[in-house]
């Protein structure tokens, strides 16, 4: 189901629930760790976490590579305060802005990461946000995304048959994220891993910025899914 208007969804759906987000969201830290494994951030690199919420992934990147220069961006001022408190003075830049209108010059980052954000954006905003991420990446930069993905077996088909009726998650469950990354201009788009959680299938995608005008290569991972037991 395509949507075209902007529509802001806070971390836990409703602003009143935001203070409770962390205790729930930490349960999926093992998958955030897989994203960090794929991102292979190097000391000195500049990394942007898009839609960082309370900063769980942002802080994990910083802890994994303390010499990286890490920025966490989110459009909700309420989570900004929680992220600042959680980070206890760690050297992280916390910014308040929308994913499709970022306050950075082109080519500012070596890598961008994002977890559980795409299913908060309308179809139009997903593509706008992907274009904006591509703009702020260096030419050899990569974007790593963790979020709900298309089903790949009996269990995940049942999960997705329910979840895809939620308007904003439909693109994820209908396998639209990779084509949207390609539409935004990413040259190399790949599904690196798949997982299963009680709410549905997760995918971990990586997208190489590439040079303008290059043809996009979209590849789905033939690898078996990984299930990380909580
Ligand atoms: C489910 S939370 C995920 C937070 C974090 N990445 C994590 O893994 O816990 C989704 C976040 O996306 C943010 N968000 C939603 N729409 C956004 C937009 N258009 N621009 C920037 N952030 C947005 C929300 O404020 C929220 O913090």
């Amino acid at each position: 189901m395509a949507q075209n208007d902007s529509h802001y969804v806070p971390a836990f759906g409703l602003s009143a629930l935001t203070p409770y987000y962390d205790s729930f969201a930490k349960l999926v830290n093992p998958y955030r760790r897989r994203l960090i494994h794929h991102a292979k951030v190097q000391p000195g690199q500049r990394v942007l976490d898009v839609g960082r919420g309370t900063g769980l992934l942002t802080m994990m990147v910083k802890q994994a590579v303390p010499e990286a220069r890490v920025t966490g961006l989110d459009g909700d001022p309420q989570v900004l305060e929680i992220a600042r408190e959680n980070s206890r003075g760690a050297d992280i830049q916390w910014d308040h802005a929308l994913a499709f209108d970022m306050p950075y010059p082109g080519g500012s980052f070596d890598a961008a990461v994002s977890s559980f954000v795409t299913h908060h954006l309308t179809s139009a905003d997903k593509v706008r946000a992907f274009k904006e991420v591509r703009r702020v990446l260096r030419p050899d930069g990569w974007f790593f995304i963790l979020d709900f993905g298309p089903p790949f077996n009996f269990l995940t088909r049942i999960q997705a048959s329910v979840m895809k009726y939620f308007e904003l998650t439909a693109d994820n469950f209908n396998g639209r994220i990779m084509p949207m990354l390609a539409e935004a201009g990413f040259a190399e788009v790949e599904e690196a891993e798949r997982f299963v959680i009680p709410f549905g299938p997760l995918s971990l995608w990586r997208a190489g910025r590439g040079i303008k005008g290059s043809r996009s290569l979209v590849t789905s991972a033939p690898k078996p899914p990984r299930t990380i037991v909580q």
Side-chain angles (χ1 to χ4, degrees):
M1 198 181 304
Q3 328 86 28
N4 289 309
D5 300 321
S6 270
H7 174 65
Y8 199 93
V9 183
F12 222 176
L14 296 172
S15 297
L17 297 178
T18 299
Y20 308 103
Y21 176 77
D22 256 11
S23 39
F24 172 80
K26 279 180 185 163
L27 297 174
V28 284
N29 271 349
Y31 310 104
R32 293 188 180 89
R33 260 181 226 114
R34 292 305 300 162
L35 185 155
I36 290 167
H37 166 82
H38 283 277
K40 300 203 178 351
V41 173
Q42 302 298 311
Q45 283 192 329
R46 292 158 305 169
V47 183
L48 172 67
D49 183 6
V50 183
R52 48 95 184 115
T54 56
L56 290 171
L57 178 66
T58 332
M59 287 182 282
M60 287 168 78
V61 171
K62 186 68 185 173
Q63 277 156 12
V65 189
E67 307 84 359
R69 287 181 283 161
V70 182
T71 299
L73 169 139
D74 200 282
D76 179 354
Q78 194 184 359
V79 276
L80 175 63
E81 289 316 310
I82 300 175
R84 278 218 175 97
E85 260 173 47
N86 284 349
S87 68
R88 294 191 195 93
D91 182 18
I92 294 173
Q93 184 173 323
W94 302 112
D95 288 336
H96 175 223
L98 291 171
F100 41 78
D101 186 15
M102 301 190 203
Y104 314 116
S108 294
F109 297 95
D110 299 283
V113 297
S114 185
S115 55
F116 304 103
V117 177
T118 62
H119 75 274
H120 281 237
L121 304 175
T122 63
S123 303
D125 284 349
K126 283 184 191 72
V127 177
R128 288 168 75 200
F130 294 165
K131 284 185 178 163
E132 186 65 346
V133 172
R134 187 174 177 276
R135 182 186 71 76
V136 302
L137 280 174
R138 284 167 44 112
D140 57 352
W142 283 77
F143 183 26
F144 299 86
I145 305 174
L146 172 69
D147 209 338
F148 293 115
F152 49 82
N153 60 19
F154 183 67
L155 169 67
T156 54
R157 270 191 283 280
I158 294 176
Q159 292 173 313
S161 67
V162 178
M163 297 295 283
K164 71 182 179 187
Y165 290 104
F166 293 98
E167 206 175 335
L168 298 177
T169 54
D171 288 327
N172 294 65
F173 291 115
N174 288 330
R176 293 272 311 135
I177 298 299
M178 291 171 74
M180 284 173 158
L181 285 162
E183 187 184 335
F186 282 93
E188 220 174 304
V189 181
E190 200 178 271
E191 187 187 44
E193 279 197 76
R194 294 164 173 168
F195 317 96
V196 190
I197 62 169
F199 299 100
L202 296 182
S203 289
L204 205 169
W205 297 281
R206 60 177 162 226
R209 184 195 183 283
I211 47 166
K212 203 172 176 174
S214 58
R215 261 186 60 215
S216 183
L217 182 71
V218 177
T219 338
S220 247
K223 295 168 203 145
R226 291 170 59 99
T227 306
I228 300 177
V229 179
Q230 302 296 327

